[in-house]
Amino acid sequence: MGKNMLTTKEATLLSDVLIYEESACKKARLYARTLTDKALADKFNKLADNHERRFNALFDLL
């Protein structure tokens, strides 16, 4: 097996985590848009940014 090859189990787990990260990012962005408290909205946007970064890093493993 090559250096960058994932097993079926690893690929399935990675897919599951990608789904979680994407969902968490979308929810955090939605909450940020609907909040009236600017400080709290900013925190949710930062949270969404973190989920988006993790999603992109994991996606790059595929």
Side-chain angles (χ1 to χ4, degrees), residues 36-48:
T36 55
D37 182 326
K38 171 108 172 75
L40 192 54
D42 287 345
K43 288 184 188 266
F44 270 90
N45 272 319
K46 286 181 184 177
L47 182 64

Side-chain angles (χ1 to χ4, degrees), residues 8-9 14 26 36 39 42 53-54:
T8 303
K9 184 175 182 177
L14 185 55
K26 287 179 179 180
T36 55
D42 287 345
R53 269 193 298 281
R54 281 191 297 275

Side-chain angles (χ1 to χ4, degrees), residues 21-35:
E21 290 293 347
E22 181 180 32
S23 176
C25 179
K26 287 179 179 180
K27 286 178 184 179
R29 295 255 187 250
L30 173 66
Y31 297 151
R33 284 194 307 269
T34 59
L35 288 166

Side-chain angles (χ1 to χ4, degrees), residues 9-26:
K9 184 175 182 177
E10 290 169 334
T12 300
L13 291 171
L14 185 55
S15 176
D16 290 346
V17 175
L18 282 168
I19 290 167
Y20 165 77
E21 290 293 347
E22 181 180 32
S23 176
C25 179
K26 287 179 179 180

